Amino acid sequence: MVDQSPAQKALVKLGLTRPIDLALHLPLRYEDETRITPLRNTREGDMVQIEATVTASEVQLHPRRQLVVTVEDGTGSCELRFFSFYPSHQKTMAVGARLRVRGEVRGGFWGRQMLHPAFRKAEGELPQALTPIYPTVAQLPQAYLRRAVASAMARVELPETLPPGLQPPVARFDRENGLQRPWNLRESLLFLHHPSPDVALATLQDHSHPAWQRLKAEELLAQQLSQLTAKRERALLRAPELRPAQAAGAPALHERLLAALPFALTAAQRRVGEEIAHDLARPVPMHRLLQGDVGSGKTVVAALAACVCMDAGWQCALMAPTEILAEQHFTKLIGWLEPLLAERGQQVAWLVGGQKKKERAAMLERIASGAAALVVGTHAVIQEQVQFKNLALAVIDEQHRFGVAQRLALRQKLARHGLEPHLLMMSATPIPRTLAMSYYADLDVSTIDELPPGRTPVVTKLIADSRKDQVVERIAAQVAAGRQVYWVCPLIEESEALDLSNATATHVALSEALPGVTVGLLHSRMPSAEKKAVMEAFKSGTMGVLVSTTVIEVGVDVPNASLMVIEHAERFGLSQLHQLRGRVGRGAAASACVLLYSTGDSGRLGETAKGRLKAMAETTDGFEIARRDLEIRGPGEFLGARQSGDALLRFADLATDGALLDWAREAAPQMLDQHPLLAEQHIQRWLGTKSDYLKA
Ligand code: ADP
Ligand code: MG
């Protein structure tokens, strides 16, 4: 094998291996080298190319060592300054040399100047098209990348994959110019790599140009095709048909659970419950996302699904991303289900990372024998050693925290019957509609759009941390009224230690400021027994204030807590803030969330931080929060582990390309039905090997 040069290695690392990958590697921007501007016509701040002769060249030592080259073009002169330079530069720019120089003109008191302009010998014709500037890395010079792209463009086959009847809509831009035909892929790519200089650059920048429209349409279509393929492939798989066993006269397990609950289901819970039960009864694996705001009551819905599964004689696994959350599910589910299961001689098993060997072995044994009908835990549930007797339903809470590999591993757990388990994913971060239609097109979505009755809306206040004293007074008042308070300390990036010392210091300070109040501390480094004890004390009400790092982010349920203080709220993400706020307002008492923010040394909040805090103050609606979050952060964060599949859209922007997305959603099923080979070719072109990630 031939050794690869650093540039070749960089190409591979950027995923630019096939000619089509290079062809689809599009410029970030362009430089106009098609024109020469006479120096006389240049103005301060202009980005220009000049052609001029070197009249002087010297290295000055003051105030800093620098190379100063003077050039003249017959209409004026200009000084070129370089603070770093090599002998080769001096040689190219020797007195008498004729140069083409590109840079920004600065008009100082001493005349025109350019700092570190690009330069080369003036020779050859001027290019006819704009010069592309590609996204690249240090090891991969522009010139090398340009040659690689040009050579790929010369070699690449770009057969038309869109059947004549399935053309994307003609862009507005085109219609206005009387063009009725959308651009095809080849002409779009040729143009985008080397646009003619008369193009309106704005249309390239904002991707409204018809060449861009075509690429975005193709990309969205590839995404829809690949997800639809995944969905259809999944429909061919077999899963156990889960229907409640109707033993003579006895009510089904889920009915008994309903009867035992201290509340009635909301209409929304009933509706999604039916959607799930319908899926479970089919011989095809369910692939459903259950979304509902914090506190909307997803756990009960999951428990009902578990009942149907266990009633049919199969095992159910419920996984949560953290031990605390898993523990909550466990306690709750045990409370509800254990008495019912016990009557049937069945058990619940518990699996987490830090378990004692003996306990773990006992649990594994229960799971393998089938004695445990329900298994609750963390990632530990999907480890290899865990053998289920007959797993038929897996419920994943906070699904975005689990990776693709983990979901795949779960599916393997039933492989031996030639069957796949049903999968129910839960999320408290609602997926905005456009995202659901694009990235999650292969998922069925159930939404709980209603909170249980009796919740009081949480009032949110933004308070500068210079007014912390007032917040402490407020805490004292709440505790005096018999309420409880959360105080959340921020995650300090990349420093768990600092994180901890910060939480510890806050704990000490609050304990001092609130004499007579029990102030507890909870952080991720604590042994689980200690965490448990702290949570117990808070739940039972003996602890008035709980200081914690973000470990309580998800799932903690203490209805008596009526005040949530989030310190350095400006450092938190929007959905994280929303989740945290969801910890209060669970009881009948009026609740509040105080977002303490600090402006740091600058005295101002950054724009995104401001946007997040504003959104929090303005709405408590999870869907509205999600929509704003998408606006602020883009889709990456919503997709969680899915983004590791590189399946993010590179070109299309869901905020502006709704029309193209609609077109792609309509075109994909037709193309798969009528032109399966073209569809396959199209997916390969755009996703190559990446399409596998989408199938998990
Ligand atoms: P989340 O959707 O955030 O997971 P949970 O399932 O933890 O919400 O439910 C939040 C709280 O609401 C729990 O205490 C749960 O028992 C309670 N709950 C769930 N459904 C109802 C209902 N229909 N009526 C009253 N309370 C309910
Ligand atoms: Mg939950």
Side-chain angles (χ1 to χ4, degrees):
M1 219 178 102
V2 190
D3 266 352
Q4 287 184 323
S5 71
Q8 281 166 326
K9 280 190 196 139
L11 279 180
V12 174
K13 216 162 162 193
L14 288 176
L16 303 177
T17 44
R18 308 173 302 167
I20 183 67
D21 301 325
L22 282 155
L24 292 176
H25 192 67
L26 293 181
L28 275 181
R29 56 188 177 85
Y30 304 91
E31 280 177 0
D32 188 351
E33 296 179 327
T34 63
R35 275 183 280 248
I36 300 289
T37 309
L39 275 168
R40 187 199 320 126
N41 298 350
T42 64
R43 279 169 315 169
E44 164 107 41
D46 283 354
M47 190 70 187
V48 294
Q49 175 171 247
I50 57 169
E51 188 167 311
T53 306
V54 177
T55 55
S57 167
E58 63 165 336
V59 175
Q60 291 180 2
L61 295 175
H62 298 286
R64 275 174 66 186
R65 190 177 128 86
Q66 54 186 291
L67 173 64
V68 182
V69 175
T70 310
V71 296
E72 287 180 11
D73 72 351
T75 73
S77 69
C78 182
E79 261 180 8
L80 318 178
R81 286 179 186 269
F82 302 86
F83 294 108
S84 65
F85 54 93
Y86 296 100
S88 62
H89 292 162
Q90 284 167 280
K91 216 166 129 195
T92 311
M93 293 187 283
V95 171
R98 184 90 181 147
L99 301 176
R100 278 189 200 140
V101 182
R102 246 189 76 80
E104 189 185 324
V105 179
R106 300 199 184 175
F109 180 69
W110 302 106
R112 286 183 207 91
Q113 284 192 2
M114 288 188 191
L115 289 182
H116 281 264
F119 62 89
R120 59 187 151 101
K121 263 201 195 120
E123 54 192 11
E125 303 263 300
L126 288 173
Q128 303 280 307
L130 300 180
T131 309
I133 307 294
Y134 293 105
T136 188
V137 291
Q139 300 77 14
L140 185 59
Q142 273 302 325
Y144 186 98
L145 183 52
R146 258 178 223 150
R147 279 197 304 275
V149 171
S151 131
M153 279 300 290
R155 279 177 295 145
V156 71
E157 290 180 41
L158 295 170
E160 187 63 21
T161 45
L162 300 194
L166 281 182
Q167 291 294 314
V170 177
R172 188 176 53 88
F173 180 90
D174 250 13
R175 278 200 309 273
E176 281 164 8
N177 290 288
L179 295 175
Q180 291 312 315
R181 183 184 61 82
W183 289 38
N184 72 29
L185 183 64
R186 172 171 291 280
E187 63 191 336
S188 299
L189 287 177
L190 282 172
F191 179 83
L192 290 175
H193 285 294
H194 295 285
S196 48
D198 57 359
V199 66
L201 276 175
T203 65
L204 293 185
Q205 234 107 62
D206 71 6
H207 295 189
S208 65
H209 191 278
W212 269 115
Q213 294 286 318
R214 169 59 188 231
L215 279 171
K216 295 196 283 192
E218 285 225 352
E219 179 180 46
L220 287 164
L221 179 63
Q223 189 191 43
Q224 292 295 322
L225 283 173
S226 111
Q227 299 213 12
L228 195 57
T229 312
K231 194 168 181 172
R232 289 184 177 187
E233 280 172 9
R234 197 174 303 116
L236 297 176
L237 301 173
R238 288 285 153 254
E241 294 172 45
L242 304 176
R243 292 200 189 87
Q246 284 295 324
L253 190 56
H254 72 277
E255 283 163 0
R256 301 197 54 197
L257 171 60
L258 279 176
L261 287 177
F263 48 75
L265 294 188
T266 61
Q269 283 171 316
R270 276 203 304 276
R271 177 173 42 75
V272 301
E274 276 160 25
E275 287 166 1
I276 293 167
H278 177 261
D279 281 1
L280 293 178
R282 297 193 335 130
V284 174
M286 170 169 73
H287 197 65
R288 187 171 283 277
L289 177 70
L290 171 58
Q291 56 178 11
D293 213 341
V294 199
S296 62
K298 297 184 289 296
T299 318
V300 192
V301 175
L304 288 168
C307 282
V308 171
C309 169
M310 295 185 289
D311 218 6
W314 296 78
Q315 286 174 301
C316 172
L318 194 137
M319 298 197 313
T322 65
E323 246 177 89
I324 287 205
L325 186 54
E327 168 106 36
Q328 289 240 336
H329 278 301
F330 192 55
T331 336
K332 221 174 232 173
L333 288 180
I334 280 204
W336 288 335
L337 288 172
E338 202 162 44
L340 302 177
L341 288 177
E343 286 174 27
R344 305 150 57 106
Q346 287 178 316
Q347 298 164 326
V348 182
W350 169 239
L351 269 187
V352 291
Q355 243 163 349
K356 295 222 171 62
K357 261 210 173 113
K358 211 167 137 201
E359 189 188 351
R360 183 177 159 79
M363 293 294 174
L364 288 180
E365 165 57 34
R366 266 188 210 183
I367 298 169
S369 72
L374 182 63
V375 182
V376 186
T378 56
H379 297 77
V381 173
I382 38 177
Q383 275 155 11
E384 244 184 80
Q385 309 89 307
V386 186
Q387 299 286 340
F388 288 85
K389 176 156 179 270
N390 61 354
L391 176 71
L393 169 63
V395 181
I396 305 182
D397 201 7
E398 302 300 326
Q399 57 92 22
H400 56 283
R401 295 215 187 169
F402 286 88
V404 169
Q406 290 162 331
R407 284 206 289 266
L408 281 175
L410 246 182
R411 291 172 50 182
Q412 308 298 320
K413 291 283 178 202
L414 191 61
R416 67 195 172 104
H417 294 278
L419 295 172
E420 296 247 338
H422 297 279
L423 206 56
L424 178 63
M425 295 163 264
M426 305 204 283
S427 171
T429 311
I431 302 172
R433 198 175 142 273
T434 43
L435 271 193
M437 288 191 323
S438 54
Y439 292 99
Y440 288 98
D442 64 329
L443 268 188
D444 297 310
V445 179
S446 289
T447 305
I448 305 185
D449 50 7
E450 172 188 9
L451 291 180
R455 300 275 165 86
T456 45
V458 180
V459 176
T460 302
K461 291 238 157 69
L462 306 184
I463 298 184
D465 69 354
S466 51
R467 290 163 55 204
K468 223 184 236 177
D469 288 353
Q470 293 170 18
V471 178
V472 174
E473 277 167 31
R474 204 173 167 146
I475 294 177
Q478 286 294 312
V479 177
R483 305 276 161 216
Q484 290 168 278
V485 178
Y486 292 107
W487 182 293
V488 179
C489 302
L491 204 82
I492 295 167
E493 230 171 304
E494 285 167 36
S495 169
E496 231 183 309
L498 261 184
D499 220 25
L500 205 60
S501 73
N502 183 43
T504 316
T506 304
H507 177 232
V508 171
L510 281 177
S511 303
E512 274 169 16
L514 297 163
V517 177
T518 312
V519 181
L521 175 64
L522 189 68
H523 58 75
S524 49
R525 289 265 188 94
M526 273 158 59
S528 20
E530 214 172 299
K531 273 189 211 165
K532 217 158 151 179
V534 173
M535 272 322 294
E536 265 328 303
F538 192 64
K539 262 192 220 164
S540 69
T542 55
M543 183 182 287
V545 179
L546 178 62
V547 175
S548 88
T549 53
T550 46
V551 285
I552 60 153
E553 184 187 338
V554 275
V556 182
D557 193 22
V558 179
N560 191 45
S562 60
L563 176 60
M564 160 75 62
V565 181
I566 305 177
E567 205 178 351
H568 279 299
E570 77 282 356
R571 295 189 193 161
F572 289 83
L574 189 47
S575 74
Q576 213 179 5
L577 289 172
H578 179 64
Q579 298 254 331
L580 284 169
R581 178 170 59 183
R583 300 301 121 214
V584 291
R586 301 195 148 215
S591 297
C593 173
V594 169
L595 302 176
L596 271 179
Y597 64 89
S598 156
T599 53
D601 299 336
S602 71
R604 310 180 42 230
L605 279 176
E607 280 309 310
T608 46
K610 216 188 265 172
R612 291 193 297 252
L613 296 183
K614 191 159 171 280
M616 283 296 290
E618 285 173 2
T619 179
T620 52
D621 174 357
F623 275 91
E624 177 59 15
I625 294 268
R627 201 189 57 71
R628 297 214 196 173
D629 206 15
L630 179 64
E631 233 168 59
I632 296 173
R633 294 193 297 182
E637 304 283 338
F638 282 88
L639 302 171
R642 203 167 255 218
Q643 57 185 317
S644 67
D646 254 351
L648 283 180
L649 295 167
R650 292 150 70 189
F651 302 136
D653 177 351
L654 295 175
T656 54
D657 296 325
L660 291 176
L661 176 60
D662 289 342
W663 166 80
R665 279 167 58 78
E666 219 169 285
Q670 294 181 44
M671 192 157 160
L672 271 185
D673 290 338
Q674 294 158 23
H675 308 275
L677 290 178
L678 288 177
E680 175 59 30
Q681 221 177 355
H682 190 83
I683 295 176
Q684 275 306 316
R685 168 187 290 166
W686 278 91
L687 295 169
T689 51
K690 289 170 194 158
S691 56
D692 281 348
Y693 281 98
L694 285 168
K695 295 183 184 161

